[in-house]
Amino acid sequence: MKIMIIGVGGIGSFLVPLLSKAGHKLHIYDFDRIEEKNIPYQNFYLGDVGKLKVDVFAPIVEKAIPFPVL
């Protein structure tokens, strides 16, 4: 299934790893950069500050190994 996610903030940042692991093809759109104020409530770390949000999730989505469909 193809899923478009617009915004990887409070909800999207937790959804992306889960959906990619479940084997869904994701199209992620967010033009925002990670700020320190995002760390407490979004799925990012201090080392991510200053990076584009989509760039942080690109490797996660690319290396996700989907579970086999039974």
Side-chain angles (χ1 to χ4, degrees):
M1 175 187 288
K2 294 180 186 177
I3 299 174
M4 180 188 312
I5 297 179
I6 301 173
V8 285
I11 295 172
S13 64
F14 291 96
L15 269 179
V16 168
L18 295 172
L19 291 173
S20 65
K21 203 171 196 181
H24 298 291
K25 181 176 172 118
L26 303 178
H27 297 277
I28 304 168
Y29 298 92
D30 194 323
F31 301 103
D32 199 11
R33 291 189 181 272
I34 300 162
E35 300 175 46
E36 277 191 50
K37 67 180 184 178
N38 301 137
I39 305 302
Y41 65 95
Q42 295 180 10
N43 196 13
F44 300 109
Y45 299 95
L46 280 174
D48 298 328
V49 171
K51 298 176 185 174
L52 287 171
K53 291 180 177 181
V54 292
D55 289 345
V56 171
F57 286 114
I60 293 169
V61 171
E62 288 171 1
K63 71 179 179 180
I65 300 169
F67 293 106
V69 177
L70 303 174

